[in-house]
Amino acid sequence: MREIILEVKDSEFECEVDQSFGVLVKATGDFGNTFHHRLYSVADLPSRINGNPKITMLVKRCSYIDDFNGEEYKGVASNYLCDRKKGDEITVTGPFQLPFRVPEDKTANMILIGMGTGIAPFRAFIKHIYKNVKDWEGKIRLFYGARSGLELLYLNDKDGDLTNYYDKDTFEAFHALSKRPHWADSIELEKALEEQTTELKELLSKSNTYVYVAGYANILNKLNTSFSKILGSEEKWKLRKAELIAGRKWAEIIF
């Protein structure tokens, strides 16, 4: 895991908490491409260094094993970024709009669910609400999944950013960890959600509740299973999710 801070040499470049930016890496692709483009969420509030825009990003070094030939392939952008040193130059693009928006209604409730580096957009999002929007009255519930306590980014430090909001009446965070991280067990997101069944059922019954999700593709299956149990049946959850989507109160970033 790497938290990387970038100083953008274009003083007019702006990337807000509800936006992402791209990283352009020289790489030869299967279809003759000469560049690899990867989008990243902003992981902190916008600021400036020496008068230039400052962007904070969160990157996890990735690789995967090919099911056919058994070979390991390294993630192009993640390994490129994790190998950068202080003072290195990279090419960024954007900004691009994220689907996560702060509701205009300060009494709105939000269920935020992030897996792994999916915590990045929510870190900036939550900081923005309590530092810039202020006077938030609705409930904000953050569910964050990680392989181990060491990966509870922004939550496991004594002065961690998100722990600063534990004294807020409206904010609470819940951790979902793998029982045996070295065995690659699945993160117990379902358990963390279902332990809060009473409150989540109440929040999902309200018309001003938003659900925002960021993480790997399998997070959607976990959520469908848990929310079906919480609401009492798969049919009830399908209906409620359809209502959230139709009302633009459901948003997701899947990577």
Side-chain angles (χ1 to χ4, degrees), residues 146-151 177-187:
R147 286 290 180 195
S148 69
L150 294 175
E151 291 188 2
L177 298 176
S178 170
K179 282 186 176 180
R180 300 178 299 176
H182 298 296
W183 291 52
D185 282 3
S186 61
I187 296 168

Side-chain angles (χ1 to χ4, degrees), residues 64-73:
Y64 73 95
I65 305 297
D66 188 281
D67 292 334
F68 180 72
N69 59 27
E71 291 188 22
E72 181 180 10
Y73 293 90

Side-chain angles (χ1 to χ4, degrees), residues 15-22 38-44 56 94-102 117-125 212-215 248 250-255:
C15 197
E16 304 297 333
V17 295
D18 60 352
Q19 295 177 321
S20 65
F21 62 96
R38 176 75 159 81
L39 296 182
Y40 290 90
S41 302
V42 177
D44 204 351
T56 301
F96 307 96
Q97 194 64 50
L98 286 176
F100 303 148
R101 298 291 186 90
V102 178
T117 53
I119 191 69
F122 295 139
R123 180 218 189 181
F125 192 79
Y212 294 163
V213 182
R248 296 184 178 180
W250 172 280
E252 61 188 52
I253 299 177
I254 303 300
F255 46 82

Side-chain angles (χ1 to χ4, degrees), residues 201 203-211 231 234-251:
K201 188 173 183 179
L203 291 178
L204 289 171
S205 71
K206 297 181 181 298
S207 61
N208 66 340
T209 292
Y210 293 69
V211 181
L231 293 185
E234 183 178 351
E235 290 72 22
K236 288 181 180 179
W237 167 237
K238 284 183 177 180
L239 176 60
R240 185 66 186 105
K241 185 176 180 179
E243 292 173 343
L244 290 167
I245 293 173
R248 296 184 178 180
K249 294 181 174 66
W250 172 280

Side-chain angles (χ1 to χ4, degrees), residues 145-161:
R147 286 290 180 195
S148 69
L150 294 175
E151 291 188 2
L152 283 175
L153 305 166
Y154 308 123
L155 287 165
N156 64 346
D157 296 330
K158 181 178 179 180
D159 298 316
D161 288 313

